[in-house]
Amino acid sequence: MINREWHLLSRPVGWPKPEDFALVESEAPTPGEGQVLVRNKYLSVDPYMRGRMSAAKSYVAPFELGKVMQGGAVGEVVASNAEGIAVGDHVLHFLGWREYAAVDAKNAVKVNPDAAPLSTYLGVLGMTGLTAYAGLLRTASFKEGDAVFVSGAAGAVGSQVGQIAKLKGASRVIGSAGSDDKVKLLVEEYGFDAAFNYKNGKVSDQLREAAPDGIDVYFDNVGGDHLEAAIGQLNRDGRIAVCGMISVYNNTEPAPGPRNLARLIQTRGRIEGFLVGDHYDLQPQFVQEVGPWVASGALKYRETVVEGIENNLEAFLGVLRGDNTGKMIVKL
């Protein structure tokens, strides 16, 4: 069987370019002892992958040049050399960016396609969902009555943050997004109390208008002017959970920090970064609480689906541009 897979050829400087990558054909691997061969059905592309394309030291090893990249994937087992996983089972794993993957059984999680669509295990019921849940409830210490601001609010993580906050009793939820259509989606479908298009004016002015009484929690997916605006509107004992800063990922020079950090002294505010990998102990609680919300329709989600392994790179670049509404998924 022919296996197509994406390799990183050179480390991007600024925005990634097509010539930094190559779609390579090889033979599908044979599973070794304790492994299963998975035919991937859905692949995940996420903003954090941009950091792995750099050689800079980070919380996860960079992608190796000339070798296949990695990412979340869910697929069907077509050959098994491991106990506990049979041909025909569906599993979640992290050897994406390819059509076939030989996965160590210990790194494969069985999922039920009858309980929820397979793609949801990469999004609303997967890593992005747990990111929203852990970041809001643990890192930001959300409590009933808080006013919450979410940047990148129409994305896979941000859309869940806002809805979970509403379901948990937030007094007000505000979101920012990059188009008027996304703003409409946030208010009319996801139940945000207010939302604005950050391209339509200064973020600080629009946030002040949307949150005249200030905010208690800011969930940061963007950084830059959004972070500065949030600090400006932070109430006493406000909390900021830093999940991502997509506005600076392709910068070639260090981005200036917020100019109003001194305001944290006045507000006794707190900024804390987090990684979902530190919070997998919450997974059972997350599934138990969020699963029924998704099943009942209380928590809504969107997916932007791109078809074909040949379009995997374009789907990833689309995430960096903000083309997606909800989770960006590649269907094979």
Side-chain angles (χ1 to χ4, degrees), residues 177-180 183 196-203 206:
S179 75
D180 293 340
V183 167
F196 59 85
N197 182 346
Y198 67 84
K199 298 176 182 176
N200 288 346
K202 287 185 63 176
V203 174
Q206 294 192 80

Side-chain angles (χ1 to χ4, degrees), residues 270-295:
R270 169 169 63 85
I271 300 180
E272 183 177 348
F274 75 99
L275 297 172
V276 67
D278 296 332
H279 302 281
Y280 279 121
D281 62 296
L282 289 177
Q283 180 78 23
Q285 176 183 323
F286 161 70
V287 172
Q288 182 179 17
E289 187 165 23
V290 176
W293 286 341
V294 174

Side-chain angles (χ1 to χ4, degrees), residues 62 128 135 143-144 189 212 215 234 241 245 250 286 288 292:
T128 53
K143 60 184 183 297
E144 186 176 356
E189 185 168 332
I215 59 172
L234 206 63
M245 292 191 174
N250 293 307
F286 161 70
Q288 182 179 17

Side-chain angles (χ1 to χ4, degrees), residues 200-237:
N200 288 346
K202 287 185 63 176
V203 174
S204 56
D205 291 343
Q206 294 192 80
L207 178 58
R208 193 177 303 113
E209 182 178 350
D213 296 323
I215 59 172
D216 303 295
V217 168
Y218 171 48
F219 193 103
D220 190 16
N221 290 306
V222 174
D225 54 356
H226 282 73
L227 178 56
E228 184 169 291
I231 293 172
Q233 284 300 104
L234 206 63
N235 291 331
R236 176 166 173 166
D237 299 316

Side-chain angles (χ1 to χ4, degrees), residues 29-45:
T30 300
E33 187 67 30
Q35 290 188 325
V36 294
L37 180 63
V38 181
R39 179 170 62 86
N40 288 330
K41 290 189 172 183
Y42 294 94
L43 306 177
S44 178
V45 286

Side-chain angles (χ1 to χ4, degrees), residues 59-104:
Y59 60 89
V60 64
F63 293 134
E64 294 185 57
L65 293 180
K67 294 189 177 180
V68 63
M69 294 182 289
Q70 301 162 3
V74 64
E76 181 180 359
V77 175
V78 294
S80 177
N81 204 7
E83 292 185 8
I85 301 180
V87 171
D89 285 344
H90 290 82
V91 296
L92 172 69
H93 62 92
F94 287 93
L95 294 181
W97 289 81
R98 70 199 82 186
E99 290 177 306
Y100 290 89
V103 182
D104 291 340

Side-chain angles (χ1 to χ4, degrees), residues 2-323:
I2 297 299
N3 183 33
R4 291 182 293 172
E5 55 188 34
W6 281 95
H7 289 202
L8 182 66
L9 299 185
S10 57
R11 304 207 179 277
V13 177
W15 276 84
K17 302 179 292 295
E19 52 265 34
D20 294 323
F21 308 84
L23 182 60
V24 176
E25 288 190 356
S26 63
E27 280 192 34
T30 300
E33 187 67 30
Q35 290 188 325
V36 294
L37 180 63
V38 181
R39 179 170 62 86
N40 288 330
K41 290 189 172 183
Y42 294 94
L43 306 177
S44 178
V45 286
D46 302 280
Y48 80 86
M49 294 174 175
R50 177 61 183 88
R52 296 197 67 187
M53 294 172 187
S54 167
K57 186 176 181 180
S58 185
Y59 60 89
V60 64
F63 293 134
E64 294 185 57
L65 293 180
K67 294 189 177 180
V68 63
M69 294 182 289
Q70 301 162 3
V74 64
E76 181 180 359
V77 175
V78 294
S80 177
N81 204 7
E83 292 185 8
I85 301 180
V87 171
D89 285 344
H90 290 82
V91 296
L92 172 69
H93 62 92
F94 287 93
L95 294 181
W97 289 81
R98 70 199 82 186
E99 290 177 306
Y100 290 89
V103 182
D104 291 340
K106 63 182 180 182
N107 296 329
V109 177
K110 286 201 287 187
V111 296
N112 184 357
D114 296 324
L118 282 175
S119 59
T120 62
Y121 294 105
L122 294 175
V124 66
L125 293 177
M127 184 178 71
T128 53
L130 180 59
T131 300
Y133 189 86
L136 177 68
L137 301 183
R138 177 176 280 174
T139 306
S141 305
F142 170 85
K143 60 184 183 297
E144 186 176 356
D146 280 344
V148 178
F149 171 45
V150 188
S151 58
V157 174
S159 60
Q160 277 192 256
V161 171
Q163 291 183 83
I164 292 171
K166 289 293 289 184
L167 288 163
K168 288 282 195 178
S171 62
R172 188 168 178 79
V173 174
I174 304 105
S176 71
S179 75
D180 293 340
D181 286 342
K182 290 181 179 180
V183 167
K184 184 177 180 181
L185 172 71
L186 293 176
V187 175
E188 295 185 1
E189 185 168 332
Y190 293 157
F192 282 58
D193 297 289
F196 59 85
N197 182 346
Y198 67 84
K199 298 176 182 176
N200 288 346
K202 287 185 63 176
V203 174
S204 56
D205 291 343
Q206 294 192 80
L207 178 58
R208 193 177 303 113
E209 182 178 350
D213 296 323
I215 59 172
D216 303 295
V217 168
Y218 171 48
F219 193 103
D220 190 16
N221 290 306
V222 174
D225 54 356
H226 282 73
L227 178 56
E228 184 169 291
I231 293 172
Q233 284 300 104
L234 206 63
N235 291 331
R236 176 166 173 166
D237 299 316
R239 290 87 65 203
I240 296 174
V242 181
C243 175
M245 292 191 174
I246 197 170
S247 68
V248 304
Y249 286 171
N250 293 307
N251 288 4
T252 56
E253 297 292 334
R259 297 167 294 179
N260 57 349
L261 280 174
R263 192 166 188 278
L264 295 175
I265 303 169
Q266 173 190 344
T267 61
R268 291 74 154 177
R270 169 169 63 85
I271 300 180
E272 183 177 348
F274 75 99
L275 297 172
V276 67
D278 296 332
H279 302 281
Y280 279 121
D281 62 296
L282 289 177
Q283 180 78 23
Q285 176 183 323
F286 161 70
V287 172
Q288 182 179 17
E289 187 165 23
V290 176
W293 286 341
V294 174
S296 69
L299 194 153
K300 299 173 174 62
Y301 68 94
R302 291 280 191 97
E303 294 175 342
T304 300
V305 180
V306 173
E307 298 214 6
I309 185 74
E310 65 276 9
N311 294 315
N312 210 89
L313 175 60
E314 181 55 29
F316 167 71
L317 296 176
V319 170
L320 298 184
R321 293 191 299 261
D323 294 350

